[in-house]
Amino acid sequence: MKINKKTYVKNIIKRLSLIYPNAKITLKFSSPFELVIATILAAQCTDKRVNIVTEKLFKKYKTPKDYIKTPLQEIEHDIKSTGFFRNKAKHIKELAIKIVNDYEDKVPDSIKELTQLPGVGRKTANVVISNCFYRNEGVIVDTHMIRIAQLLGLTYEKDAVKIEKELNELMEPKDYLYFSNLIIALGRNICIARRPKCEICPLNNICPSSRI
Ligand code: SF4
C-alpha cells in the first residue's frame, strides 16, 4: 500500500508540475529573520496582503533589536491590516527578544530551536529551513495541505504533525518543498476550500474526492 501511495504521490507531482512548473513561495523576504516575520503575519491572511505590509515593515525594522526598542502598540499599528495583529505583534516582539538573547541576533537553523521561538510552529520552521537554509526536513503542512492531503486520500489524520510525518514517508526528501508549493498553488487556485474546481483540476481522474 505504501509503495502504491508513493507512486500516487509521484503522479500528483508530475501532473501538478505541468501547470505549476515554477511553484515556489510567494512571500517576499531577503533573510531568514524576514521570512520568520512574514510567515507569522501570513497566518489567517493572504500572502499578497502580507507582501504589501512587509514592503514598508522591513524598511522600518531591519533587525530584531528594531522590534525590541519599538513600543508594542506601534508594531501592532504597523501590522494591523494582516489581522490578529495583537497576538502577532506580541509573538514578533517576544521572538525578537529571544533571538537577541539566545542566538546572537541570528535566526537558529534547526527545527528544534525554531519551534521554541514564540509564534513559530513546525509549519513556519519547515518554511524557513527549506527556503532559507536549503535543507529538506519535512513537508510544509498548512491549511491547504491539511485539506488537500485528506481530499486526495493521502492521510486520514487531522493533526498537522501526524500529517507531516505520514507525507514525509511518501516521497523523497528532495521533493518536500516542491510538493508543498505545488499543493499550496493548487489550494489557492483550483482546489479551493468549499468550492473546489474539480472540472479543471489535473488530478480529477485520480483524486478520490473528485466531483466529476
Ligand atoms: S479533483 Fe477536486 S477535490 Fe480532488 S484535488 Fe482536484 S479540485 Fe480538489
Side-chain angles (χ1 to χ4, degrees):
M1 187 60 190
K2 271 274 156 63
I3 290 165
N4 288 342
K5 267 198 181 179
K6 282 183 179 175
T7 307
Y8 178 46
V9 167
K10 272 190 189 156
N11 195 3
I12 289 168
I13 294 173
K14 195 172 158 195
R15 287 172 180 229
L16 292 181
S17 68
L18 294 175
I19 56 166
Y20 305 122
N22 303 312
K24 60 180 186 187
I25 187 165
T26 51
L27 290 171
K28 292 189 180 150
F29 63 96
S30 64
S31 68
F33 182 60
E34 285 190 357
L35 185 55
V36 171
I37 301 292
T39 310
I40 287 173
L41 295 179
Q44 312 287 325
C45 183
T46 63
D47 286 4
K48 198 175 164 194
R49 162 60 45 195
V50 172
N51 288 337
I52 291 169
V53 169
T54 55
E55 195 183 343
K56 277 191 192 164
L57 195 76
F58 294 160
K59 282 185 188 134
K60 179 172 172 182
Y61 303 85
K62 295 195 189 308
T63 68
K65 287 192 179 104
D66 292 331
Y67 290 96
I68 294 174
K69 69 186 183 199
T70 304
L72 189 62
Q73 289 75 9
E74 191 174 330
I75 301 174
E76 288 176 357
H77 174 265
D78 290 338
I79 63 165
K80 193 164 188 176
S81 66
T82 67
F84 301 94
F85 61 93
R86 289 213 169 85
N87 238 352
K88 289 177 182 176
K90 185 170 165 279
H91 282 147
I92 289 171
K93 184 110 173 157
E94 287 171 359
L95 85 82
I97 292 168
K98 196 162 170 64
I99 286 173
V100 169
N101 288 346
D102 297 358
Y103 300 107
E104 297 174 344
D105 298 15
K106 298 247 175 350
V107 171
D109 67 351
S110 75
I111 295 275
K112 192 175 172 207
E113 289 169 312
L114 276 164
T115 52
Q116 282 165 6
L117 296 175
V120 176
R122 279 197 69 88
K123 183 201 81 176
T124 301
N126 274 326
V127 167
V128 174
I129 290 285
S130 54
N131 286 288
C132 296
F133 299 112
Y134 311 110
R135 294 206 316 272
N136 310 304
E137 300 213 2
V139 169
I140 296 164
V141 180
D142 69 350
T143 51
H144 293 299
M145 185 62 75
I146 293 173
R147 183 178 78 257
I148 297 173
Q150 288 168 346
L151 287 169
L152 289 169
L154 293 174
T155 183
Y156 297 101
E157 295 288 352
K158 291 198 169 73
D159 174 70
V161 174
K162 288 182 184 165
I163 292 173
E164 183 196 323
K165 200 162 178 280
E166 280 201 340
L167 293 176
N168 288 350
E169 287 173 13
L170 296 178
M171 67 196 85
E172 300 293 324
K174 69 173 177 53
D175 289 328
Y176 290 164
L177 180 60
Y178 190 45
F179 176 78
S180 303
N181 288 332
L182 287 171
I183 294 294
I184 291 166
L186 184 74
R188 285 188 178 140
N189 300 295
I190 295 176
C191 192
I192 299 162
R194 277 175 289 180
R195 51 184 171 89
K197 300 175 186 170
C198 300
E199 65 283 2
I200 59 160
C201 180
L203 309 179
N204 62 14
N205 64 345
I206 56 170
C207 172
S209 307
S210 174
R211 296 181 185 183
I212 63 163

